[in-house]
Amino acid sequence: MHKLLSVAAILVSFLYLACGQSISQASAPTLPEPVRDTVTEVSVYDFAELEKRLYTSSDSTYIVNFWAMWCAPCVKELPYFERFLAKHAGEKTAALLVSMDFPKDIDSKLLPFLNTRKIFRSDVVLLDAPDANSWIPRVDPAWSGAIPATLIFNRDTSVFFARPFADLEDLEAAVASINQ
Amino acid sequence: MKIKHISFQLLLIAGLGLFVATSCKSSGTSNDKTAMEQSDRPGPPPGNRPGPPPGDRPGPPRGGGGGPEQTKTLEEIGGYQIGATATDFNLKDVSGKMVSLAGMTDAKGYVVTFTCNECPFAKMYEDRLIELHNKWAPKGYPVVAINSNGGAGQESMEAMQARAKEKDFPFVYLMDEGQEIFPQYGAVRTPHVFVLDQDLAVRYIGAIDDNARDASSVKTSYVEDVLKALSKGEAPGVTYTKAIGCPIKHS
């Protein structure tokens, strides 16, 4: 019996060791380049689920953009986020595009939209949260609710942009301003 | 009996080993995931860390950070605070007539609504605006709809006239030609409502109700609650709300 237990203990600690090794590999200094070649699903979030992704304790920088397919200035700036991630791959920056479109349009409109426009580097979720007045101030007290709007943050700093970005350089300056 | 006991131990050990192997596998494959899906994404799962309440998010004051363009608060955009006296205007209606608030002599107040033809959120509220007007205009509180989107393409006077005809708007639908009115009010999205009293004092700024997508699921009708209060000579309870909407196009 004792013998059996010792064997088990050795077996288990071996597994733990192996595990520890792969964990340290996963948290290597550079983030993997998150390139998909197709978007097959978009998660539907309520605000509580989204709110968890508006804060970080990591050393990465996050760009959270509120947009919709029906919002022309939003659609215009989407490529800037993709280009930013491509240009700054390996700089620990990630983008989350929060769609305000209708949940019923995910398969028929949103997924085709994302694939046609090759939105492959940013993560995309759909926010289904009707009582906007309850959660808009929790994103930023200064936000009126007009989109596009973008929150850029790291673990120390957060800046809210209630406007579209004019171009890639404008977005780069915005990210640089919080990482300085 | 002893054999049975040992088999149980074995089972336990096998189970433990399997658990360790499984958790190992999931962390080992995280390299395949996108950055946002990794365990170091913002906002750790509940229980892991208390997670700061929104007000405590670290960061410089709004507009700080040295970015080339400052983030404007509503106050910085300008526009009215509750209690301010709103400007009157003289704007062209879809009927061709010029309309001013002063010209609505029977009004006890005004539901000034910045809206447009094409914004899905504005469209979702068209029927509710019609209902609001039909119910409250006879009591002295008409809807005054203003299109401030610049008058081009789908927001042209012709397009406004077509939309008004199609929906049979019972209220005036005015074009903010020159886009001079909406910045004074501080309207930033469509639809964006400003309820004024008889003296043009701003009594409410914000959304029509709390559910744009589904009228049948509305729990609070902000504008109607304000009108109920004003019609009784009372101060409105909620005077300022926010909602998702399309940005008013600056041209």
Side-chain angles (χ1 to χ4, degrees), chain B residues 4 16 19 24 27-28 42 49 56 60 76 85 99 122 128 138 140 169 182 184 199 211 227 229:
Chain B
K4 203 174 175 187
L16 186 62
F19 168 75
C24 190
S27 34
R49 186 177 70 110
D56 290 349
E76 287 160 349
T85 303
V99 171
R128 278 175 265 183
F169 285 165
F182 85 84
Q184 295 182 56
D199 304 322
N211 197 324
L227 296 179

Side-chain angles (χ1 to χ4, degrees), chain B residues 11-147:
Chain B
L11 213 70
L12 190 76
I13 289 157
L16 186 62
L18 193 70
F19 168 75
V20 173
T22 310
S23 53
C24 190
K25 190 180 173 216
S26 64
S27 34
T29 52
S30 68
N31 263 338
D32 302 326
K33 296 189 174 182
T34 67
M36 291 298 278
E37 285 164 343
Q38 283 202 349
S39 53
D40 61 348
R41 72 188 184 190
N48 183 4
R49 186 177 70 110
D56 290 349
R57 186 197 290 131
R62 285 182 285 288
E69 283 207 42
Q70 302 302 321
T71 306
K72 285 183 177 174
T73 62
L74 282 178
E75 288 74 21
E76 287 160 349
I77 288 166
Y80 298 135
Q81 303 290 309
I82 300 301
T85 303
T87 187
D88 199 352
F89 40 73
N90 195 31
L91 301 173
K92 191 182 254 184
D93 180 36
V94 287
S95 67
K97 282 188 290 194
M98 299 301 286
V99 171
S100 65
L101 298 178
M104 301 181 183
T105 46
D106 295 334
K108 295 175 186 161
Y110 312 85
V111 183
V112 176
T113 306
F114 293 87
T115 186
C116 66
N117 293 335
E118 285 303 311
C119 169
F121 277 70
K123 284 184 178 176
M124 286 187 282
Y125 274 113
E126 284 173 337
D127 290 341
R128 278 175 265 183
L129 273 180
I130 291 168
E131 202 180 317
L132 200 63
H133 179 85
N134 286 341
K135 183 170 175 186
W136 286 94
K139 297 175 186 173
Y141 300 90
V143 168
V144 180
I146 301 178
N147 184 320

Side-chain angles (χ1 to χ4, degrees), chain A residues 35-39 65 67-86 97 101 108-122 124:
Chain A
V35 184
R36 302 173 278 193
D37 58 3
T38 179
V39 190
N65 171 252
W67 70 288
M69 288 185 286
W70 43 260
C71 163
C74 305
V75 171
K76 190 179 170 221
E77 74 173 347
L78 289 184
Y80 307 149
F81 300 115
E82 288 291 298
R83 283 166 57 199
F84 182 94
L85 295 180
L97 306 180
D101 292 287
S108 59
K109 293 179 184 166
L110 186 55
L111 287 172
F113 177 97
L114 296 171
N115 284 306
T116 304
R117 285 162 198 269
K118 298 188 166 33
I119 307 296
F120 296 150
R121 292 171 188 272
S122 307
V124 182

